[in-house]
């Protein structure tokens, strides 16, 4: 129960990493608020939480829309009295198409909006709420350096911007006792298993799993990491070091 009595808001709550994080956090005693533009996967996650006697609130929200974010934050505070942790899991726009001369300007703009505006809008509303609770933690889920290099330039710019934002805010919000981090996963290959969330195999030579990201977020949001801020944490099994993994190479082939 490492998050007992904490309220966690997860924005961009779909499947994979955000679902694993939501399930683990509820398992560890948190009250969880899920926000997403589309509801099907979010409601599936909420049902898994409820089936294990967890506490969860869902709210259909486009984090790029200020008015919708205001409604989300108001609902969270009304239901649970505040927010202690925010996980920003919105984004997308990964592709391995590298020809920027063929990229539409709208694609570039949309990539930045979906990754960065969805971070900006909730954070600016949540800061006074976390400060009132005595502090808290905010995490944005970016991407590992290897993933950013393998992707298109718009995705790379957006994900690098998320890391820079987290580090800058960690300094800005120090006096408010608000910790800010960026998690930088590699490509998460394995599907999330059914049942209780538990650590996966301990070998480095394997595929990445959403649970790997969830446990990193759990530690950072827990009181165990109360003296850690501004962390850029890569979770990729060594891929950013250009490790040649036979298992991961086979998936790519």
């Amino acid at each position: 129960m490492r998050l007992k009595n904490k309220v966690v808001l997860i924005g961009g709550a779909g499947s994979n990493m955000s679902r694993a994080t939501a399930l683990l956090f509820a398992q560890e005693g948190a009250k969880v608020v899920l926000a997403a533009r589309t509801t099907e996967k979010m409601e599936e996650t909420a049902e898994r939480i409820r089936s294990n006697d967890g506490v969860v609130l869902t709210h259909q929200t486009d984090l790029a829309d200020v008015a919708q974010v205001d409604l989300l934050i108001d609902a969270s505070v009304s239901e649970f009295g505040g927010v202690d942790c925010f996980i920003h899991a919105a984004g997308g726009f990964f592709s391995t198409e590298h020809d920027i001369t063929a990229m539409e300007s709208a694609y570039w703009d949309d990539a930045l909006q979906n990754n960065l505006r969805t971070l900006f809008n909730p954070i600016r509303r949540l800061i006074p709420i976390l400060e009132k609770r005595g502090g808290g933690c905010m995490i944005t889920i970016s991407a590992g350096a290897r993933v950013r290099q393998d992707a298109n330039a718009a995705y790379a710019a957006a994900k690098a911007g998320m890391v820079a934002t987290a580090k800058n805010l960690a300094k800005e919000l120090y006096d408010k006792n608000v910790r800010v981090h960026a998690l930088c996963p590699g490509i998460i290959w394995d599907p999330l298993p059914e049942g209780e969330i538990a650590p996966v195999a301990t070998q480095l030579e394997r595929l990445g799993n959403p649970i790997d990201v969830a446990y990193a977020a759990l530690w950072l949001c827990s009181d165990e990491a109360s003296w850690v801020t501004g962390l850029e944490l890569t979770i990729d099994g060594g891929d950013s070091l250009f490790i040649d993994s036979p298992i991961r190479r086979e998936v790519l082939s």
Side-chain angles (χ1 to χ4, degrees):
M1 303 297 284
R2 294 158 74 185
L3 298 180
K4 186 177 180 180
N5 299 323
K6 292 187 185 294
V7 179
V8 179
L9 169 59
I10 301 179
S15 58
N16 291 330
M17 291 180 284
S18 59
R19 175 172 290 177
T21 302
L23 295 172
L24 179 60
F25 280 27
Q27 194 174 292
E28 290 287 339
K31 300 178 179 70
V32 179
V33 182
L34 302 178
R37 286 185 298 187
T38 56
T39 61
E40 182 179 359
K41 291 179 179 179
M42 176 174 66
E43 293 297 343
E44 290 173 359
T45 303
E47 184 53 39
R48 284 184 63 172
I49 291 173
R50 294 187 186 106
S51 68
N52 290 311
D53 300 321
V55 180
V56 60
L57 172 70
T58 61
H59 201 283
Q60 185 174 16
T61 309
D62 180 355
L63 296 179
D65 185 288
V66 173
Q68 291 186 43
V69 168
D70 286 343
L71 292 173
L72 166 66
I73 303 301
D74 290 345
S76 302
V77 173
S78 175
E79 184 73 16
F80 296 130
V83 175
D84 300 289
C85 303
F86 171 56
I87 308 293
H88 170 253
F93 285 79
F94 176 85
S95 78
T96 54
E97 173 56 58
H98 290 263
D99 185 2
I100 197 168
T101 65
M103 183 183 292
E104 298 290 339
S105 58
Y107 183 93
W108 180 278
D109 292 343
D110 289 346
L112 296 184
Q113 173 169 298
N114 275 35
N115 284 276
L116 291 173
R117 188 178 296 179
T118 58
L119 175 62
F120 168 75
N121 284 341
I123 276 182
R124 62 198 293 267
R125 273 295 315 274
L126 284 168
I127 288 169
I129 294 169
L130 268 66
E131 185 180 14
K132 187 176 180 180
R133 302 271 281 192
C137 182
M138 298 192 288
I139 297 172
T140 183
I141 299 180
S142 178
R146 180 74 177 271
V147 176
R148 299 199 302 264
Q149 285 299 94
D150 288 343
N152 64 78
Y155 177 91
K159 291 301 185 181
M162 292 158 71
V163 174
T165 299
K167 287 178 174 290
N168 186 278
L169 287 175
K171 180 181 179 181
E172 179 182 339
L173 302 180
Y174 178 89
D175 290 342
K176 302 181 188 301
N177 201 39
V178 175
R179 296 171 282 121
V180 191
H181 305 286
L183 293 183
C184 299
I187 295 177
I188 301 300
W189 309 88
D190 260 358
L192 180 67
E194 296 296 324
E196 183 176 283
I197 302 298
V200 295
T202 57
Q203 294 90 347
L204 280 169
E205 180 51 28
R206 62 173 171 84
L207 301 180
N209 191 283
I211 291 173
D212 295 313
V213 179
Y215 270 104
L218 171 63
W219 175 64
L220 290 173
C221 285
S222 75
D223 291 341
E224 299 159 19
S226 61
W227 209 49
V228 181
T229 193
L231 190 64
E232 177 185 353
L233 180 58
T234 300
I235 309 164
D236 70 354
D239 283 344
S240 59
L241 302 174
F242 293 93
I243 297 293
D244 182 20
S245 160
I247 289 176
R248 297 192 286 274
R249 184 181 351 111
E250 184 178 353
V251 172
L252 285 170
S253 62

